[in-house]
Amino acid sequence: MSLGEFDLIARYFTRPVRRAALGIGDDCALLAPGAGMQLAVSSDMLVEGRHFLSTVVPERLGHKALAVNLSDLAACGARPLGFTLALALPRADEVFLEGFARGLFALADAHGIELVGGDTTQGPLNICITAMGEVPVGGALLRSGAQPGDDLYVSGTVGDARLALEVFRGTQQLAGHDFERVREAMERPQPRVALGLALRGIASSAIDVSDGLLGDLGHILRRSGVAAVVEVDAVPRSAVLGAQPLALQRTCTLAGGDDYELLFTAPGPAADRVHGAAREAGIAVTRIGRIEAGQDLRLVDGEGRQVTHTFGSFDHFKA
């Protein structure tokens, strides 16, 4: 007998809640942020063929669906509380559902958060998660706080997800082990929640790198009304990407997307505090440029020479 909608929810997605006042089973969930806290809310949709390939392992898809939302909370400096899941499925495939739920809840448990509601329906595979977190009033990291003189940083390494995509597209080739490393970066990104929390009161602005480093930096520059210089060869990359031709490295690091690292600014004198926050969070951060007065974005190489570029960022209606 095939699974019905409510059987599916009960079997794969209903678990007791401990932090929420009320979880799955009523028309609404009830959450109670702590005293002096604001609620931070983020939604992301993943559509098969647009955001993920049909070949992705369901467990990794469950992980990524939640990870991209937690990455937004991290960029805001918010502590995750709970999330909802809206899921459209072509059919109630129990093998898919078991793997998807396993990946989803493994990451949820790692961050101590709960699934508190959502919706299911039949249709093309589409996943929409809304994640909620809390942040002290006035303490959120925003895109609008960068100031001339600030240093520009990025966490971890960037570009591997784009390199994996190029392999899937057939434009590049990698040895099996190298391909698996960059594929994992594409399919199992790690949200930098601990770093976002540690940067509260230190970073002047922040965003997560989802559509490409330069494109996402552009959001900070526009919201803050400032300019920037990016040292393109200082942008951190993996050994696998670093072994590729320089032009490909720059395309992947500057316009790749799907990295889910934190790109942020901080006053120059706060450098020691920035690196202390990184040590506390257990993730490396790298200074890759500086903020200036004006409206331009300039790229320079390791010798300080201007780099001409046409790097863009991902746009769902132009790609």
Side-chain angles (χ1 to χ4, degrees), residues 204-278:
S204 54
S205 70
I207 191 171
D208 74 325
V209 182
S210 56
D211 296 327
L213 188 147
L214 293 186
D216 289 321
L217 173 58
H219 295 306
I220 287 180
L221 302 186
R222 285 188 290 274
R223 294 294 295 271
S224 298
V226 293
V229 177
V230 175
E231 301 164 15
V232 297
D233 296 327
V235 177
R237 65 212 69 186
S238 70
V240 175
L241 180 55
Q244 307 308 309
L246 183 60
L248 178 60
Q249 291 184 45
R250 288 178 174 175
T251 295
C252 291
T253 55
L254 301 176
D258 244 13
D259 297 299
Y260 301 102
E261 295 292 348
L262 294 189
L263 180 68
F264 63 96
T265 60
D272 287 345
R273 296 179 66 202
V274 167
H275 290 289

Side-chain angles (χ1 to χ4, degrees), residues 35-200:
M37 295 288 185
Q38 290 178 312
L39 197 61
V41 182
S42 173
S43 291
D44 269 296
M45 182 184 299
L46 300 185
V47 179
E48 184 177 24
R50 195 65 172 174
H51 301 94
F52 61 91
L53 303 175
S54 60
T55 54
V56 66
V57 175
E59 187 169 351
R60 289 189 170 191
L61 182 58
H63 171 101
K64 184 172 183 177
L66 181 57
V68 301
N69 284 271
L70 295 183
S71 184
D72 284 334
L73 294 184
C76 194
R79 185 180 303 279
L81 293 175
F83 65 101
T84 63
L85 168 67
L87 181 63
L89 296 164
R91 61 190 180 280
D93 182 333
E94 296 187 48
V95 173
F96 172 87
L97 285 164
E98 184 173 340
F100 179 86
R102 184 167 57 247
L104 180 82
F105 285 123
L107 185 61
D109 290 344
H111 290 274
I113 61 172
E114 303 166 331
L115 176 60
V116 296
D119 194 17
T120 57
T121 191
Q122 187 175 34
L125 184 54
N126 184 311
I127 306 153
C128 184
I129 286 179
T130 297
M132 292 145 285
E134 63 179 12
V135 61
V137 174
L141 304 178
L142 305 176
R143 300 176 181 183
S144 55
Q147 298 290 324
D150 284 354
D151 288 327
L152 178 65
Y153 296 88
V154 70
S155 64
T157 61
V158 295
D160 278 356
R162 175 62 181 270
L163 181 57
L165 180 61
E166 294 304 324
V167 175
F168 277 117
R169 287 172 168 171
T171 67
Q172 302 295 325
Q173 292 184 331
L174 290 175
H177 177 69
D178 288 344
F179 174 58
E180 284 305 316
R181 288 184 62 184
V182 297
R183 181 178 184 176
E184 178 155 354
M186 175 184 180
E187 296 179 344
R188 294 191 76 254
Q190 301 302 316
R192 304 306 185 187
V193 174
L195 180 60
L197 293 173
L199 287 172
R200 289 197 311 219

Side-chain angles (χ1 to χ4, degrees), residues 7 28 30 35 68 82 127 198 226 247 282 285:
D7 296 327
C28 292
L30 299 177
V68 301
I127 306 153
V226 293
V285 299

Side-chain angles (χ1 to χ4, degrees), residues 152 214 217 221 227-232 288-290 292-293 295-301 304-307 309:
L152 178 65
L214 293 186
L217 173 58
L221 302 186
V229 177
V230 175
E231 301 164 15
V232 297
I288 62 169
R290 65 183 182 275
E292 298 181 333
Q295 297 181 329
D296 297 330
L297 171 59
R298 295 190 297 116
L299 307 184
V300 297
D301 65 15
R305 296 172 298 204
Q306 189 100 354
V307 174
H309 76 94

